[in-house]
Amino acid sequence: MTATISTFPSSTQPLLEANALVCVRGERKLFSSLSLQVFAGECWHVRGENGVGKTSLLRLLSGLASPESGDILWAGRSIHQEAQGYRQKLLFLGHRDALKEDLTALENLRMYAGIDGIALTDEDAVIALRRFGLKGREDLPVYCLSAGQKKRVLMARMVTRHAQLWILDEPFNALDATAVQELEQLIVDHLKSNGMVILTSHQALAIANMKVLDL
């Protein structure tokens, strides 16, 4: 394996479908009757003010939470009934970096590869880290890295994970202008390879043919 974008099969049918989702948090209904179809090669930008349910929707679509009612399907099957198979297709990155601070950048990639059941050599992990500007920082504990450098570790995970569906919560936070362009290009390359992206962001994005879901 090398630190490159994987190519996935195309499909004439939507791979991810959300049907009539209702999301309730506490006593508040965040949204209802929400339906969505995502095809291979598509990017969806979920927008809305703070508190309207953007992160809650991503957690539902990732299988980390269940809707009050409604169904979420991958290739026509419930993501909860086919949970293991769905997790193999999915990379979810929350708005917090979810890195182990006492481990190095390289050790974090090794750890997540083990969790994901991915065969990842040290050589390929180092190539991925260096691709995103972390040369010389591969063996530094993550707590020594800046917020932007931590995001770059996660970008390295995105290319080593080889998941078709990326669900990303505010992935552009803490990135400088150069890193924003790199991440946008990474997403574009993923889409060209029949990957799929659902993300939240408060900023305008330079991704062609991006679809928008306003909550």
Side-chain angles (χ1 to χ4, degrees), residues 43-96:
C43 178
W44 281 83
H45 182 186
V46 181
R47 303 188 308 190
E49 299 297 324
N50 290 336
V52 298
K54 299 188 300 296
T55 294
S56 294
L57 174 59
L58 296 195
R59 288 179 59 82
L60 294 180
L61 296 176
S62 300
L64 297 174
S66 297
E68 188 75 10
S69 62
D71 301 308
I72 303 171
L73 309 176
W74 174 265
R77 297 175 177 268
S78 167
I79 64 169
H80 294 290
Q81 293 177 353
E82 302 287 341
Q84 182 175 355
Y86 184 57
R87 284 195 297 267
Q88 292 174 348
K89 305 291 186 181
L90 170 71
L91 171 67
F92 172 75
L93 294 180
H95 65 277
R96 297 185 179 181

